[in-house]
Amino acid sequence: MTMEPCSSPLLSIKGVKAFYGPVAALKGISLHVDEGEIVTLIGANGAGKSTLMMTIFGRPQASEGRILFGGTDITQRPTHEIARAGLAQVPEGRRIFPRMTVFENLQMGALNGKSSFAQDLDCVTALFPWLGTRAQQRAGTLSGGEQQMLAIGRALMSRPRLLLLDEPSLGLAPLIVKQIFEVLKRLNRDEGLTVFLVEQNAYHALKLADRAYVMVNGEISHAGTGRELLARDDIRAAYLGSA
Amino acid sequence: MEIFLQQLINGLTLGAIYGLIAIGYTMVFGVIGMVNFAHGDVFMLSSFIALIIFLLLTQILGLASIPLALVIVLVAAMALTGLWNFMIERLAYRRLRASFRLAPLISSIGMSIFLSNFVALAQGPRNKAVPSMLDEVFKLTEGHGYDVTLSLKQILIIAVTASLLFGLWYVVEKTPLGRAQRACEQDQTMAALLGVNVDRTVSATFVIGAVLAAAAGVLYMLYYGVVNPNDGFIAGVKAFTAAVLGGIGSLPGAVLGGLLIGLVETFWAAYFSSDYKDVAAFGVLAVTLIFLPRGLLGRADVEKV
């Protein structure tokens, strides 16, 4: 893969619209994620955050607008090809394969035919050592936090250039959330992994992120650095529950 | 006792054939949630393909070795039937997968009617006799007034079935294709998000199902010595019953269900009446489903979240 000039963002979304049947879920979204950044997208339930994550992967496909990854147009590509282009997603609700073992879930993450499996597995088990020792456990019997870590580990097995996470903190104990956010921070700092994070847990997300977008009813309402948005009273009132 | 033993052998032989067909139903249902009603006719098609190739080899090409001919027949029938089912899925089901749930099912009923009529038209609607071969029979017990026998064909059926099941187990549990199939069965969208080509995985599932049904078709032709374009219907219904009895979606369940249906049918015919053997087989299904609605090895849908 050739390097793009620094000026072109790793992921750029330009005027994307998407529909669920007759309902417009995305009404012209434009945003970008640069290489090496942590970008977060916050917004209320039903704002269209998860739809945007899935639209990046072509499910549903954008009816208007363009999605570019590393300068290549991926808007019309089938989902499995997008996954092979260097994006990985930790979807809403984790979606681990419950009737497979932990190890098989990680194998699913490694795009088959990849020669670096052992190496990638070492990297992932270095992040979450228990994944190595409990490799033969059925994933459906893991706790929620463990499933979330497995979902992240599975996504990392493909050595993505961009990791998309959809509400990784949902339903997890604060301590686990902290642990997961620390892992993301470390991956970004040490491995240079680019992260695009969708969160309702706005405080943690804004603190972690280099830049942030706020989504309301299928549109981007605010954009700025995490610090800027954290400082705004209207954002604090709407998403942090404190004035 | 001798009769019991004999019927056990006969029942297991028949059950092995049902089991091989049942796997195709259960795999397709597991991966795309569709009952493929044409599967029984795919089985029937393979028995005709097998007979044609066998006659071609022995009568026209003059191949003298029956075992060699049968090996070629088995491999060729599996390959051709696999190809047929690949094309059936592409033509009749794939486009309908995104449609409402019943659409592919109705299409498969149409495909079933097409296949049985196509074969009836092309080959004639009457029974086709298979030349007799491999008629060796071994006596297991002697002299109690009733000899328990095991025929070479029965040994062959059990051996071929066992090795194919081992092969299937290996593919499903140990290869990337099998993993992709299991992933699609559990969460198709997630599988796609991880780079699995879902369409190709579904194709492979249809091909594997057809290959096993083809082996069943070859064994059936060999065992019963006659093939008929309508054979697909009743065998298909029985194998589907076996799949549901074992728990649809479960591979071991399909094999277990097949063996049970084969045994019930055989024992009923031996001890009561062969007229009602089908009733007995379906009756077992009805009773089982009352107490175990998911079948014998069907799993509970509850997963920890």
Side-chain angles (χ1 to χ4, degrees), chain A residues 158-225:
Chain A
S158 67
R159 283 281 172 115
R161 294 174 68 197
L162 172 63
L163 180 66
L164 287 79
L165 298 106
D166 193 348
E167 300 211 31
S169 71
L170 193 70
L172 300 186
L175 203 65
I176 308 274
V177 174
K178 205 175 151 209
Q179 199 183 338
I180 285 174
F181 276 50
E182 264 161 22
V183 163
L184 294 178
K185 202 170 174 177
R186 205 158 80 221
L187 282 167
N188 175 260
R189 193 186 54 214
D190 301 345
E191 317 271 332
L193 180 71
T194 311
V195 175
F196 184 35
L197 174 69
V198 162
E199 262 300 342
Q200 277 201 69
N201 192 337
Y203 179 72
H204 274 104
L206 290 174
K207 271 188 72 174
L208 178 76
D210 300 311
R211 285 190 307 111
Y213 294 92
V214 182
M215 196 173 195
V216 178
N217 285 331
E219 286 169 297
I220 300 288
S221 66
H222 298 85
T225 65

Side-chain angles (χ1 to χ4, degrees), chain A residues 93-114:
Chain A
R94 314 183 267 269
R95 299 181 91 151
I96 49 116
F97 298 110
R99 293 187 297 280
M100 287 190 185
T101 63
V102 166
F103 184 71
E104 285 175 324
N105 267 277
L106 294 175
Q107 280 181 307
M108 284 306 301
L111 304 167
N112 49 32
K114 268 193 68 177

Side-chain angles (χ1 to χ4, degrees), chain A residues 54 57 59 79-80 83-84 87 89 91 94-95 97-100 104 107-109 111-112 138 140-143 147 154-155, chain B residues 173 176-198 200 299-300 303-305:
Chain A
M54 291 307 284
F57 274 80
R59 293 196 174 203
T79 305
H80 65 270
R84 288 167 179 275
L87 296 87
Q89 179 165 177
R94 314 183 267 269
R95 299 181 91 151
F97 298 110
R99 293 187 297 280
M100 287 190 185
E104 285 175 324
Q107 280 181 307
M108 284 306 301
L111 304 167
N112 49 32
R138 261 169 54 111
T141 64
L142 298 173
S143 73
Q147 290 190 3
R154 179 179 65 180
Chain B
E173 290 296 325
L177 170 64
R179 234 174 4 250
Q181 280 180 315
R182 285 182 290 140
C184 287
E185 185 204 325
Q186 294 176 38
D187 188 340
Q188 239 179 61
T189 302
M190 191 62 230
L193 288 179
L194 293 170
V196 171
N197 186 336
V198 174
R200 197 184 297 166
R299 60 170 173 269
E303 292 289 344
K304 194 170 172 183
V305 266

Side-chain angles (χ1 to χ4, degrees), chain B residues 96-106:
Chain B
L96 296 173
R97 281 219 312 273
S99 178
F100 65 106
R101 229 178 127 75
L102 282 178
L105 184 129
I106 293 165

